[in-house]
Amino acid sequence: MKKIYHLSTCTTCQRMLKETGAAGKGFVLQDIKTDRITPVQLDELKAKTGSYEALFSKRALKYKELGLKDQVLTEEDYRRLILEEYTFLKRPVIVDGKKVVVGSPGKEY
């Protein structure tokens, strides 16, 4: 499976898609704002990355707004938060078979 989870309004995602050319290399694009990530998809990503925390964006505005930076979060907390609020998914997430790149991958694609 070749898939990119991204946010179409995110300038970093737009830049990464353009720089890597991944969209033209057979990747399926999923805009997580309009096509939310499912629990099954998130669990598959966790299995490939090793943790929900690796998929969680601590740079999201709501992270500070909700006071999460002052709390000790569990893996279940990270999972629940990502499913509740799409901006908590670190992006882009690029899946190419068994390989997963979370965040800015550079120009390896």
Side-chain angles (χ1 to χ4, degrees):
M1 174 180 76
K2 295 175 87 166
K3 189 165 199 167
I4 300 176
Y5 297 90
H6 71 105
L7 187 56
S8 62
T9 57
C10 170
T11 55
T12 301
C13 288
Q14 292 169 356
R15 179 179 50 81
M16 294 311 301
L17 288 173
K18 185 177 180 181
E19 285 179 5
T20 62
K25 295 181 179 177
F27 284 86
V28 174
L29 301 178
Q30 180 172 334
D31 184 337
I32 60 171
K33 183 176 183 179
T34 58
D35 187 10
R36 293 275 179 121
I37 192 164
T38 67
V40 171
Q41 289 172 322
L42 184 58
D43 293 344
E44 288 172 354
L45 290 174
K46 186 257 186 190
K48 292 180 181 194
T49 61
S51 72
Y52 294 111
E53 184 177 9
L55 299 162
F56 189 85
S57 174
K58 294 180 180 176
R59 297 178 72 192
L61 294 175
K62 289 196 174 196
Y63 183 68
K64 287 184 182 176
E65 285 176 15
L66 298 175
L68 299 175
K69 69 182 187 110
D70 301 319
Q71 298 178 25
V72 176
L73 300 174
T74 66
E75 280 293 291
E76 282 306 309
D77 291 330
Y78 289 121
R79 182 181 188 277
R80 176 182 50 79
L81 289 164
I82 292 170
L83 291 172
E84 287 176 1
E85 176 59 44
Y86 67 90
T87 59
F88 283 132
L89 180 67
K90 195 180 289 185
R91 52 196 185 272
V93 178
I94 302 173
V95 181
D96 189 355
K98 293 182 181 180
K99 182 178 180 183
V100 177
V101 178
V102 181
S104 300
K107 295 187 178 183
E108 55 189 274
Y109 284 89

